[in-house]
Amino acid sequence: MDASKTSDRLNVAVIGAGRMGADHIRRLDTRISGARVAAVVDVDEARATDAVRDVPGAVALTDPTEALARADVDAVLVATPGFLHEDILLAALEKDMPILCEKPLTQEPDSSWRIVEAEERLGRQRIQVGFMRRFDSEYAALGGIFAGGELGAPLMLHCAHRNPSTPPGFTNEMLITDSVVHEFDVIRYLTGEEIASVQIRRGRRNSFAPDEQHDPQHVLIETTGGLLADVEIFVNAEFGYQVTTQAVFERGIVNIGRDRGPEVAASGRWGGVVTPGFEERFGDAYEAEVQSWVDAAARGEIGGPSAWDGYATAACCAAGVRAQQSDAAVTVELNTKPEIYHS
Amino acid sequence: MDASKTSDRLNVAVIGAGRMGADHIRRLDTRISGARVAAVVDVDEARATDAVRDVPGAVALTDPTEALARADVDAVLVATPGFLHEDILLAALEKDMPILCEKPLTQEPDSSWRIVEAEERLGRQRIQVGFMRRFDSEYAALGGIFAGGELGAPLMLHCAHRNPSTPPGFTNEMLITDSVVHEFDVIRYLTGEEIASVQIRRGRRNSFAPDEQHDPQHVLIETTGGLLADVEIFVNAEFGYQVTTQAVFERGIVNIGRDRGPEVAASGRWGGVVTPGFEERFGDAYEAEVQSWVDAAARGEIGGPSAWDGYATAACCAAGVRAQQSDAAVTVELNTKPEIYHS
Amino acid sequence: MDASKTSDRLNVAVIGAGRMGADHIRRLDTRISGARVAAVVDVDEARATDAVRDVPGAVALTDPTEALARADVDAVLVATPGFLHEDILLAALEKDMPILCEKPLTQEPDSSWRIVEAEERLGRQRIQVGFMRRFDSEYAALGGIFAGGELGAPLMLHCAHRNPSTPPGFTNEMLITDSVVHEFDVIRYLTGEEIASVQIRRGRRNSFAPDEQHDPQHVLIETTGGLLADVEIFVNAEFGYQVTTQAVFERGIVNIGRDRGPEVAASGRWGGVVTPGFEERFGDAYEAEVQSWVDAAARGEIGGPSAWDGYATAACCAAGVRAQQSDAAVTVELNTKPEIYHS
Amino acid sequence: MDASKTSDRLNVAVIGAGRMGADHIRRLDTRISGARVAAVVDVDEARATDAVRDVPGAVALTDPTEALARADVDAVLVATPGFLHEDILLAALEKDMPILCEKPLTQEPDSSWRIVEAEERLGRQRIQVGFMRRFDSEYAALGGIFAGGELGAPLMLHCAHRNPSTPPGFTNEMLITDSVVHEFDVIRYLTGEEIASVQIRRGRRNSFAPDEQHDPQHVLIETTGGLLADVEIFVNAEFGYQVTTQAVFERGIVNIGRDRGPEVAASGRWGGVVTPGFEERFGDAYEAEVQSWVDAAARGEIGGPSAWDGYATAACCAAGVRAQQSDAAVTVELNTKPEIYHS
């Protein structure tokens, strides 16, 4: 192979080498055109070293600051736990680098708003937030139907988000902040409206859920335009992973989220395999998301959801967690959207 | 043909020869084994006469009392508008006849309760109420899954009831009393529990709905056992007729209500025909319902939902109509269930 | 109940009380309007007696002639094994009675042709043959698409006929005469053309089939109009019962035969129950078939496939059995269609 | 961005800038990790120049020899018409380069065999042939079911290959050499057996097909292991693009090729969009194919179907074209498989 020609690839520092970080490292290394992993940062040095073992030219580090200071780093992918995002994002904005930040932007509306303000001071959008569903082909097709208008005005949404199980430490609040957060983003994306209020009712409890969780929960969301969306959040559903949306329009109904793959008739049953997890369901979407970010970075832009989207969903999550405490609807409070986020 | 042997058939007076009555007359005459139409009663004499024209041996009458008094009438099928049900039911109970009463039993909980009390005095169940969904093969299969328990406890229900359009005079209250009433019955049937409360939120209005209706509406129902069921009631849905239920259990999800018939790929689209109306969707169920009633009558029993089911759903409807006035959950008030309805 | 009025019902003698006969007796007794079982004939007296035990007014006999001679018998349903059909049919035609004859009309083209000739001498159609698929709602809908012409000319058919298992004594020839015979009838029904030739190739053998069968087989049929239809006949398919047809038109594809019932997601799989057997798949069709025959009998007509259809399929079966001996196409030989069968 | 680091990417010369070539150029440039387009060759200089306009670092050439001689070219993707393949392949084998050759390998068994011999002399596999279906997730899943054996032995295959229309000049022979060739490869891939014989029957002709084509045709294939596969090849199907396979095993049936995307109920119909063309159906498979080739090239291997697969399918096509002349089965003639293709 030729080893003399110059590179035009984006050199990415991946911050955080846990499950999501490792996935992104593998993706950048083997599937994405026009980018490479230049550095991996993890407070756990062994984990960082492991992560770069098979990645040619990538260094393992323990300090994000060091990564941002390297000459061979020109972009950042943030995949640490959410409570660590604020400092890294502010530092990367300082460097005016392209940033892909796994959701959440930050964990609370206040810190998210500080990020928005920092970016506003910078004067242009640099942060893309990892709401990967927007890159799923079916959500995109549904978005096209919303935009096209052939079915008339959208009237209701029925959403279900089912996980086979939750990892240890998955709290009751995380049903909202870790799972329903995707629905907040998708509802905003599809309708082009902000979320006005959130009501949560708990109903009957799944006896297989961990003690600290009331699972499932019934979330009823209203947008600023008056559209109602119900969400079943069910995170110990055992049978598999399932994320579906049914959109009700004046002139028709649209369903997305059917399982794929061969259909088999055997042993007295017909059907197929339920998608086992989010990697299988949204693997293509993650790839499209990262490729879109890499392509946009080459143009000095972002290629997906913005820091404003991260802030607005953080505000929805805060309302949702409050809504878990009563049966009443809780209003979502939002600051005014800065000019740089008006499309 | 042989004209000498004696008849062992149920001789039915059909009261009311409107759309539902005419359907039942045709069904009894051409599809049901062991019954015949002996008389048709309608205040509109011409309509009664029309209805019996091709029915051998049936007489046309305008007064229900006259029908009940005839020697060749031994059962009653009530298909008049609901506000006329109470008097006819009380008169037929007097005669201790088998009665099939189209829903609703009566329009208010108070009058329904008077029917229940009259039947209780009679000492046995004579009234079967026309909640035909219980005779639909898919609802019955879903009922079997509830009863079987293999999927664990039921946790939530997601129901949709979509009509292509509504007839003139279909009021806002009728979204509940005429349509959601079926969901009240089905939820009670599937869970074996009573309805505890009803919450209704209106959301965005379909611009194609008549002025007097707020269509669609979002109904959130809780059973006495804590199960939550959401119902989308959407009665000017234009695209076709659709009644679906998704049941969420601890270990799995069950969907009923797929459309049937050939699947066609043509002109760039694959798919099939949406069921156009309730006759096509529930025609088999109506037939099974009436056959079950006829068969049970021969044994001195009823073969379906009871007057108690009629009373309980009337109470749910009353709560639902109140719930249309606010965003809060309204409690359903029920008297104690009489002994004769304990199975 | 009233026991004085005269009966206008068809009084049916059922000849043969085996599996199909017993089904028809139950059906006539409990599901069909306008008919009753007057007599049951079986060479096995105990079986005949068993069959009438719960049927009011029906007598058990061992001799078909005796049944045909009774004053209270005015129609015949023939459900004996095929080799007994000819004598019974000729005797019933003598009496000019309405006849419903389970398929096959007779087992060979020669004997079938004698029936056709006898009916021709009678001067009108009295025999309806039990090809029940024509009464299945999906085959009927597909027939409507053929007739409608919106999808252009039909070009090919792909058929599959899968049985979970075969009873003892089910020979290799019976794959054609007992199973593919239905496809011969359906292809003739859908296209309105006769079968011109049959080619059979055996391919790889299912190791679970009985020794005397080569199962599955690949049947390639050409109509007189040049349409090709392939049929997979697979009678030890284990997983369930499945009868499907895919019709290829110039402008589109039509599929019938999807399984029905609830769709369940559980234990990592989505799907539903495969129809276990022909009663579940075609129970409604059998009911519609018998009702159609009863209704037509009241008008002095037949209400379904004719003796000509029985003769023509017998000729197809004879060609099919010859085609099992080589890989070449075998021509179907047909006499000229008598006038009384021209519609 | 960093412009100093060395490249470890595969530098590809794409030979042929027509539809397939242009697709591959775009794919290599924007979606594939670890490769770049170094040169584009087309006899039409303007087309070559157009193709490299937005591809950084790529040169436009008219002579394949020149491309192979360049220092910055270390691999070849052949996308010219099939009749030009032999010379280019032999020249690239001379250079011992990784080669991805769009199907067919060459147009006749003889020339394909010369390629096989040249590769055999080289002593290792360098040519990967572009049968992209093997990289489709559903064909791969079906391959896993064949390999797994849980459903017992495979007994039959039912395949359909439907194109909406054909380009000008698409001859009758091309139904086999351009379309059914994919089925030959897939059947060989799934079963692990060679094709033994091909029978073709024409049946009724689509009135919308060009005069020079008899469309559709019915192809009946037998493998060396006795498995039968029928193929409907229908290339002016108008309604859309559809490639489906149904595999019949001893214990069950597997279907692949359902359409994807949202399911919509509107205007009285439910369903979705039929895949419009092969790019939409197999776009992901093309991408996986090219990525697999690039990854394998880095290890000095091929990552998909071999030159032997190209030769064997050329022999099938030759038999298929002969089979179009009669109704009889035509035997496929194959030389002995060289050692280097034994896995």
Side-chain angles (χ1 to χ4, degrees), chain A residues 143-191:
Chain A
I145 294 172
F146 270 80
E150 294 84 357
L151 297 182
L155 299 175
M156 280 195 197
L157 288 168
H158 306 298
C159 312
H161 183 135
R162 294 156 184 154
N163 272 69
S165 62
T166 45
F170 201 90
T171 65
N172 210 30
E173 288 73 25
M174 290 168 80
L175 270 71
I176 305 305
T177 58
D178 209 70
S179 301
V180 177
V181 63
H182 282 293
E183 307 298 340
F184 288 137
D185 180 62
V186 158
I187 296 166
R188 296 175 62 254
Y189 164 68
L190 292 173
T191 62

Side-chain angles (χ1 to χ4, degrees), chain A residues 42-55:
Chain A
D42 203 289
V43 286
D44 179 343
E45 187 168 3
R47 196 153 74 167
T49 307
D50 266 8
V52 300
R53 195 177 317 277
D54 299 322
V55 183

